[in-house]
Amino acid sequence: MNKNLSLGNILGILILLGIIIGILTPIIAFKYRGSKTYTSPLEWLLKLPFINISKKLVEKYSFSVDEGLNVVVYVSGGIEITEGTDKKVQVKVYEYTGIPSWIMGLEKTYNIYYNKTINTLYIDVKGYLIELKLPSNIVHSITLNIKGGGVEIDTSLKNLKEFYAKISGGALKFKFSNLAKSKININISGGALDGELDYTMFKGESYLFLSVSGGVIDLDVRQPRSIKVMVEGNVSGGIASISIGGSHIGNFFKDEGYDVAEGKLHVVYRISGGVIDLGIYR
Amino acid sequence: MDFPSIIRDLGESLIAPRQVIRILIAERRGLLFGFFIVLIFSIIEGAIATLTFIGKLATWIPVGFIGWLFGGLSLLFGITLYVILSIGYWIIGGLIVHLFCKLFNGRGLFEQTLTAFSYLWLPAFILGLGAPFILILDYITGIGLFLLLFSISFIWGLILSSQAISEVHGFGVGKALLSVISPTVILFIILIIIPLGLTL
């Protein structure tokens, strides 16, 4: 032991402090870091200082559509779907300025049209942000093909019958309420999905098909108690966390009386990589 | 006030690396001291670097638990990778430094070269002291501060290590500096110059 408070000892204490602070700070920072999450990297980039990013309206469309509308979207940019009014679909195309091309990708295109004969709205977008206002009660089906960027659906879509999402990158966030008999098919091979499905009482069998070969699905399903549930799973890799009413289940679950129930929800999941966190609440 | 000798050794290494390395070699605890420095400071550097560069990116993942998972896994992976690379660089880089020292007719042993070379990591304590500021600041400024402190630490480490190598091998600081920067130069050639040459 050395009893002198020499310069060497003072520097030694400083090094020791550096070691202690250097170990404790990452632990504290990791434990207490903010829970704020962003839908897309663009939203996150907008928060950064010294980066002057703004969005500029490029074009807007308005379509009068019929009931039973089908929406087909191909996206590698960003789409925000919100509640519209009457039977009008409104589409706004925005361009981000101030973002280097290596972030947005060099190719920037958009193609939006409505085919009245088959009552289908097509949106194909790369490198732009689309704001889409959909009248919630007339949408029959939505097909999403996401290859990058973010998609946020913030509308109830009460009469949705079919929803198909193929995600191979990027992020999808949605909340569907008042769902009745429907087919929901989510296929993810990269990227992330955060969704909520709120079912109302219905007759017949609804399907929820989840396929993960990479990426993450975090899905919450809420349904009336009278709707019976059957879950069938196939796990050949990755992590599956499936729970009903907070209790974890295995690869197969069937409610008593499922076969004769008026309303049924049939859940099928396949996972060969990535993560599924599915919670069913009633 | 009593101070453990390790604190004195650490502190005096910053101002008198020649004397400390002589003591460490004489007391035959140089290699353990060197390993301790490389291990501790690579853990600190790895944790801060991962949280600075990657941790904040996890916030854009809209799924709460996967953001946490991503952050946790990246931290674990970042620290592990950084420690492995640092120890690898210490041993393989130390071997290269030792070969250069022998080319300059150095008289030290490989074990002593490793001890002296470990001084490269010692000034990384300033990253530890600056960690609260790096992690509180926003993304760009945090990265900027990290790179600034890392550069200061690296240059300071080169100076300390060169003095220690010079003492161990009994030649001038110029030759010692050439020996100490040789692994960095070789790594730079392998990782940047050769790939650039191949792509052009």
Side-chain angles (χ1 to χ4, degrees):
Chain A
M1 295 282 192
N2 182 2
K3 294 193 176 187
N4 299 323
L5 188 63
S6 62
L7 181 61
N9 283 333
I10 294 169
L11 288 173
I13 293 168
L14 213 59
I15 292 175
L16 198 66
L17 271 176
I19 293 172
I20 294 166
I21 296 171
I23 290 172
L24 285 181
T25 308
I27 294 170
I28 294 166
F30 177 68
K31 200 171 175 185
Y32 295 104
R33 70 211 166 108
S35 57
K36 169 74 180 137
T37 56
Y38 301 105
T39 311
S40 73
L42 294 178
E43 190 193 343
W44 172 79
L45 274 168
L46 287 170
K47 312 279 177 191
L48 293 177
F50 314 123
I51 291 181
N52 186 22
I53 298 171
S54 56
K55 62 177 187 180
K56 191 177 83 184
L57 183 66
V58 177
E59 203 158 351
K60 61 179 178 181
Y61 302 84
S62 182
F63 304 105
S64 291
V65 296
D66 298 324
E67 281 192 23
L69 176 70
N70 304 299
V71 180
V72 179
V73 177
Y74 294 88
V75 58
S76 61
I79 289 198
E80 199 179 314
I81 302 175
T82 53
E83 187 115 17
T85 50
D86 301 328
K87 289 185 178 177
K88 285 253 188 241
V89 169
Q90 289 179 316
V91 188
K92 286 180 181 172
V93 182
Y94 290 93
E95 182 181 30
Y96 278 108
T97 57
I99 300 179
S101 57
W102 58 268
I103 292 178
M104 292 300 295
L106 291 172
E107 196 183 348
K108 283 169 67 179
T109 56
Y110 65 88
N111 190 11
I112 297 157
Y113 65 97
Y114 171 63
N115 186 330
K116 197 158 179 69
T117 319
I118 53 171
N119 195 21
T120 301
L121 174 71
Y122 291 94
I123 295 175
D124 188 350
V125 55
K126 276 182 190 166
Y128 286 90
L129 173 74
I130 304 285
E131 270 182 22
L132 173 64
K133 284 188 186 296
L134 283 180
S136 66
N137 54 343
I138 64 164
V139 179
H140 176 269
S141 77
I142 294 180
T143 303
L144 288 175
N145 196 326
I146 304 169
K147 284 187 175 171
V151 177
E152 182 166 6
I153 305 174
D154 188 16
T155 176
S156 56
L157 298 171
K158 290 165 190 163
N159 290 318
L160 190 71
K161 297 286 177 271
E162 283 182 36
F163 177 75
Y164 176 73
K166 185 173 184 224
I167 306 169
S168 50
L172 168 64
K173 187 174 184 178
F174 65 82
K175 181 180 177 180
F176 299 150
S177 50
N178 294 312
L179 269 178
K181 188 183 169 188
S182 54
K183 282 181 187 170
I184 310 284
N185 190 332
I186 294 164
N187 189 317
I188 181 166
S189 57
L193 176 147
D194 182 19
E196 282 182 44
L197 301 172
D198 284 357
Y199 286 90
T200 185
M201 189 54 213
F202 60 86
K203 286 183 181 175
E205 192 167 28
S206 270
Y207 293 93
L208 172 57
F209 182 77
L210 307 171
S211 174
V212 183
S213 55
V216 180
I217 290 180
D218 182 12
L219 188 64
D220 288 339
V221 176
R222 290 182 181 79
Q223 56 164 84
R225 198 165 281 277
S226 52
I227 290 176
K228 301 297 179 188
V229 179
M230 179 160 78
V231 180
E232 289 175 283
N234 187 319
V235 181
S236 57
I239 303 163
S241 168
I242 317 292
S243 65
I244 298 182
S247 306
H248 285 272
I249 58 163
N251 287 346
F252 183 79
F253 174 87
K254 194 175 182 182
D255 265 330
E256 263 184 47
Y258 178 87
D259 295 327
V260 292
E262 269 198 336
K264 307 173 190 182
L265 175 63
H266 189 172
V267 181
V268 177
Y269 68 88
R270 281 191 203 134
I271 175 165
S272 55
V275 180
I276 291 182
D277 183 20
L278 172 67
I280 300 172
Y281 305 93
R282 49 193 176 181
Chain B
M1 200 173 170
D2 291 344
F3 289 99
S5 59
I6 179 81
I7 293 179
R8 185 203 58 209
D9 290 344
L10 285 170
E12 290 193 344
S13 294
L14 293 177
I15 46 173
R18 288 174 183 274
Q19 285 89 324
V20 177
I21 196 117
R22 250 187 276 138
I23 296 167
L24 291 173
I25 290 168
E27 293 179 359
R28 293 185 175 276
R29 54 188 174 94
L31 207 55
L32 189 67
F33 181 85
F35 181 72
F36 167 77
I37 288 177
V38 176
L39 182 68
I40 289 289
F41 288 111
S42 58
I43 289 172
I44 291 170
E45 281 183 349
I48 299 169
T50 309
L51 283 175
T52 306
F53 286 89
I54 300 167
K56 288 177 188 174
L57 291 175
T59 53
W60 77 266
I61 297 176
V63 189
F65 88 98
I66 196 61
W68 182 89
L69 191 74
F70 179 75
L73 282 179
S74 67
L75 187 63
L76 187 71
F77 182 73
I79 293 172
T80 311
L81 188 71
Y82 207 94
V83 168
I84 291 169
L85 288 177
S86 291
I87 291 175
Y89 186 74
W90 179 50
I91 295 169
I92 297 166
L95 190 67
I96 295 167
V97 172
H98 190 69
L99 287 174
F100 270 79
C101 289
K102 288 295 169 195
L103 279 176
F104 294 134
N105 294 320
R107 58 166 188 254
L109 302 172
F110 179 53
E111 184 186 321
Q112 295 162 354
T113 305
L114 280 183
T115 308
F117 191 46
S118 70
Y119 276 30
L120 194 63
W121 279 262
L122 187 60
F125 79 94
I126 60 168
L127 274 168
L129 290 175
F133 304 101
I134 295 169
L135 297 179
I136 283 170
L137 287 170
D138 58 75
Y139 189 64
I140 300 289
T141 325
I143 287 177
L145 183 61
F146 175 86
L147 291 177
L148 177 72
L149 293 178
F150 185 83
S151 304
I152 292 170
S153 156
F154 183 71
I155 292 165
W156 193 356
L158 279 180
I159 294 167
L160 294 178
S161 192
S162 300
Q163 286 185 311
I165 289 281
S166 157
E167 183 65 27
V168 164
H169 288 278
F171 49 55
V173 177
K175 285 180 181 174
L177 183 64
L178 276 176
S179 307
V180 171
I181 60 169
S182 60
T184 313
V185 173
I186 290 170
L187 204 66
F188 184 77
I189 291 168
I190 292 170
L191 295 180
I192 298 179
I193 306 286
I194 293 175
L196 265 180
L198 289 175
T199 49
L200 290 176

